[in-house]
Amino acid sequence: MTNNITLLVAATLAMVLLTFLVGARLLYTRVTEMRQKRIHPQAVATSSKMAAKLENVQTADNFRNLFEVPVLFYALVAVSLSVQHTPVWLAYGAWLFVLLRMAHSIIHCGYNRVMHRLVAFLGSFLVIVCLWLTFFLSLLGRTA
């Protein structure tokens, strides 16, 4: 396995680990709040009921976010590996994306300053857009 592939797979594993960590934090915050407020699990069986009864929803919002834009990251990694085109800039760009998503999650699950979170989100979004565009163009150049 080349160094570029190793870096790319490691970035993907880091993104998966981030998702697992936020998921575990979600479970902890939900159970803690429900116990403190003595909320029966059936009382929050739907998302609308949950929103009405629970106050700490930042982690749940962040967990959902990890299944939105990051899907484009996972798709890019899968495509690059399947066509065996994993240039070094893609590996480094993948790590930049992951680091920005980590910052986004830390802010969102922590002190939740919207403008700080927005900077991390926009940064990661621009990175993934640039990675896809550059990847597409590099593939065109490779096949030409």
Side-chain angles (χ1 to χ4, degrees):
M1 191 176 326
T2 68
N3 192 38
N4 296 350
I5 293 173
T6 302
L7 282 171
L8 197 56
V9 171
T12 305
L13 292 175
M15 194 69 208
V16 169
L17 180 61
L18 173 64
T19 305
F20 288 163
L21 289 172
V22 172
R25 179 177 167 88
L26 171 59
L27 179 64
Y28 174 78
T29 58
R30 284 267 166 89
V31 170
T32 301
E33 186 174 0
M34 289 173 68
R35 281 185 178 163
Q36 287 173 348
K37 294 180 176 180
R38 299 180 193 269
I39 299 171
H40 189 277
Q42 195 59 42
V44 290
T46 64
S47 58
S48 60
K49 288 179 182 179
M50 194 168 300
K53 297 221 182 248
L54 299 178
E55 292 174 29
N56 187 352
V57 296
Q58 292 164 222
T59 305
D61 291 345
N62 186 256
F63 189 69
R64 270 191 304 281
N65 289 168
L66 290 170
F67 292 94
E68 294 170 352
V69 173
V71 169
L72 297 171
F73 167 76
Y74 294 124
L76 179 58
V77 170
V79 170
S80 71
L81 292 172
S82 70
V83 300
Q84 298 176 0
H85 183 55
T86 56
V88 69
W89 57 262
L90 180 60
Y92 290 126
W95 271 106
L96 178 58
F97 176 82
V98 170
L99 291 172
L100 287 165
R101 292 307 304 197
M102 286 178 175
H104 179 267
S105 290
I106 289 167
I107 294 165
H108 203 177
C109 295
Y111 67 96
N112 201 25
R113 235 7 227 274
V114 173
M115 292 310 292
H116 295 175
R117 204 172 81 212
L118 178 63
V119 168
F121 170 80
L122 283 177
S124 69
F125 185 75
L126 290 174
V127 166
I128 200 66
V129 168
C130 289
L131 286 175
W132 265 107
L133 290 173
T134 307
F135 181 77
F136 178 72
L137 293 173
S138 70
L139 270 183
L140 286 178
R142 187 175 145 199
T143 59

